[in-house]
């Protein structure tokens, strides 16, 4: 029996996430191809049960400009591969020394540290090659394949994910104020949300002004996502997050600086900023507004 109930955004999100889940395995080398251990570890890290929120940002931004195609799905998957790479590295003994990720042993615990490192760089390089191939196929008028690869490289580099992680590792608790914490997480988390939106907009040949607007949206959503992650770290159980809960107990987080209510208020402010960046798009941007609301209310 078919129901006439409109689909909720959570359901829409799962439909888009499923498109990513269906495509990701096809973009990765098979497990039985040499080097088997590295390929198995790449697939283990990338195909584990994640939310796929970043690739969904790419898909929704491209859809805002009326674009949806296989190469755009591939671009979205490339963002998920970078995310998987960053999770492997973040979990290493020399970084967070995490035991659990997505409810399973972290990649280095399952495969050993050397294989985990090779798998991380395997995923990163696969991501770049996918972006180059998809951008050449899409050939948007305003952006070259080099532009798209360049935007991704900047997001990952020492001014983005790597920079945020480095600042995090080198910060002593007494150095951390709100400004520094925002800088760390704008790099660690915000930069990949930004790249996800940029690739979606460039793939759809958005105008520069439109690209800037969705970039502002994504930066703010990315930072709000990290703040809600901090709130979940103290509120949710391991079963809900798939990570060791209280993993951030020794770290300075938004919750430690602002308290739970203060952190939630900051996340709401950032999400309101994000939504304001979309004003010029009118109702067409409703799915992105729904995504921002979803980030504010997420339970894992
Ligand atoms: C070279 C790519 C690269 C990175 C090196 C290690 C590092 C620099 C950066 C760490 C970035 C990092 C892991 C930040 C944490 C971001 C975060 C909130 C992760 C959890 O994301 P979810 O909730 O996870 O989307 P799922 O499992 O759903 O995918």
């Amino acid at each position: 029996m078919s129901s006439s109930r409109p689909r909720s955004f959570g359901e829409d999100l799962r439909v888009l996430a499923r498109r990513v889940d269906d495509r990701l395995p096809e973009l990765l080398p098979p497990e039985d191809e040499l080097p088997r251990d590295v390929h198995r570890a790449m697939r283990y890290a990338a195909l584990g049960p994640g939310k796929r929120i970043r690739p969904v940002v790419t898909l929704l931004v491209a859809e805002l400009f009326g674009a949806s195609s296989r190469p755009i799905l591939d671009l979205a998957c490339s963002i998920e591969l970078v995310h998987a790479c960053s999770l492997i590295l973040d979990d290493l003994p020399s970084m967070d020394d995490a035991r659990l990720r997505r409810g399973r042993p972290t990649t280095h615990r399952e495969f050993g540290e050397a294989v985990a490192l090779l798998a991380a760089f395997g995923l990163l390089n696969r991501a770049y090659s996918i972006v180059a191939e998809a951008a050449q196929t899409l050939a948007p008028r305003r952006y070259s394949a080099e532009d798209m690869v360049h935007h991704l490289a900047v997001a990952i580099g020492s001014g983005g994910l790597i920079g945020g992680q480095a600042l995090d590792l080198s910060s002593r608790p007494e150095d951390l104020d709100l400004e520094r914490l925002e800088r760390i997480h704008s790099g660690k988390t915000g930069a990949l949300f930004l790249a996800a939106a940029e690739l979606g907009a460039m793939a759809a040949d958005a105008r520069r002004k439109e690209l800037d607007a969705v970039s502002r949206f994504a930066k703010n959503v990315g930072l709000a996502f990290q703040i809600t992650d901090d709130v979940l770290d103290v509120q949710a159980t391991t079963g809900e997050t798939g990570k060791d809960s209280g993993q951030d107990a020794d770290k300075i987080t938004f919750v430690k600086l602002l308290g739970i209510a203060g952190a939630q208020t900051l996340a709401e402010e950032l999400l309101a900023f994000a939504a304001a960046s979309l004003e010029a798009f009118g109702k067409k941007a409703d799915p992105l507004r729904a995504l921002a609301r979803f980030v504010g209310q997420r339970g894992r």
Side-chain angles (χ1 to χ4, degrees), residues 12-179:
D12 284 345
L13 193 102
R14 273 196 292 280
V15 169
L16 291 175
R18 205 167 309 127
R19 283 177 58 200
V20 173
D21 279 333
D22 289 345
R23 181 63 177 148
L24 272 176
E26 298 170 353
L27 291 169
L28 287 168
E31 294 199 350
D32 55 8
E33 193 175 292
L34 288 172
R36 286 191 199 95
D37 50 359
V38 173
H39 290 159
R40 278 183 49 228
M42 285 168 71
R43 296 179 75 90
Y44 178 86
L47 305 180
K51 294 181 284 298
R52 317 294 186 225
I53 184 106
R54 296 160 189 79
V56 166
V57 169
T58 306
L59 296 176
L60 286 178
V61 167
E63 280 177 15
L64 171 68
F65 301 107
S68 160
S69 64
R70 171 55 72 91
I72 290 176
L73 178 60
D74 289 358
L75 285 176
C77 289
S78 76
I79 293 288
E80 185 63 20
L81 298 187
V82 175
H83 173 55
C85 162
S86 78
L87 296 180
I88 297 179
L89 297 177
D90 194 45
D91 289 339
L92 287 173
S94 55
M95 305 236 184
D96 264 8
D97 195 13
R99 290 182 328 112
L100 278 182
R101 171 69 68 183
R102 295 171 168 171
R104 307 175 309 167
T106 44
T107 307
H108 65 273
R109 285 187 66 231
E110 187 70 16
F111 295 92
E113 208 172 322
V115 170
L117 272 168
L118 293 172
F121 291 110
L123 289 170
L124 190 61
N125 284 286
R126 183 66 189 118
Y128 279 121
S129 68
I130 292 169
V131 174
E133 285 156 28
Q136 274 162 15
T137 309
L138 288 158
R141 212 164 43 85
R142 295 185 179 85
Y143 309 96
S144 65
E146 289 88 338
D147 285 334
M148 293 168 81
V149 171
H150 181 251
H151 273 253
L152 184 62
V154 169
I156 295 170
S158 57
L161 269 93
I162 291 175
Q165 180 77 353
L167 207 57
D168 195 5
L169 291 174
S170 65
S171 294
R172 292 169 310 169
E174 58 271 28
D175 297 336
L176 277 170
D177 54 17
L178 193 57
E179 196 187 325

Side-chain angles (χ1 to χ4, degrees), residues 9-10 13-14 49-54 57 83 87 101-102 185 189-190 193 220-237 240-243 248 254-255 260 263-264 267-268 271 289-300:
F9 181 72
L13 193 102
R14 273 196 292 280
K51 294 181 284 298
R52 317 294 186 225
I53 184 106
R54 296 160 189 79
V57 169
H83 173 55
L87 296 180
R101 171 69 68 183
R102 295 171 168 171
H185 293 295
T189 308
F193 275 78
N220 284 303
V221 168
L223 194 52
F225 186 85
Q226 178 58 53
I227 297 171
T228 56
D229 209 62
D230 284 357
V231 173
L232 286 171
D233 187 70
V234 289
Q235 286 189 329
T237 61
E240 285 160 333
T241 63
K243 298 185 281 188
D248 296 344
F254 287 98
V255 170
I260 291 185
Q264 281 167 333
E268 277 158 24
L271 293 170
R289 290 187 190 98
L291 176 109
R293 277 197 300 280
F294 180 83
V295 164
Q297 293 157 8
R298 72 198 183 98
R300 80 173 180 109

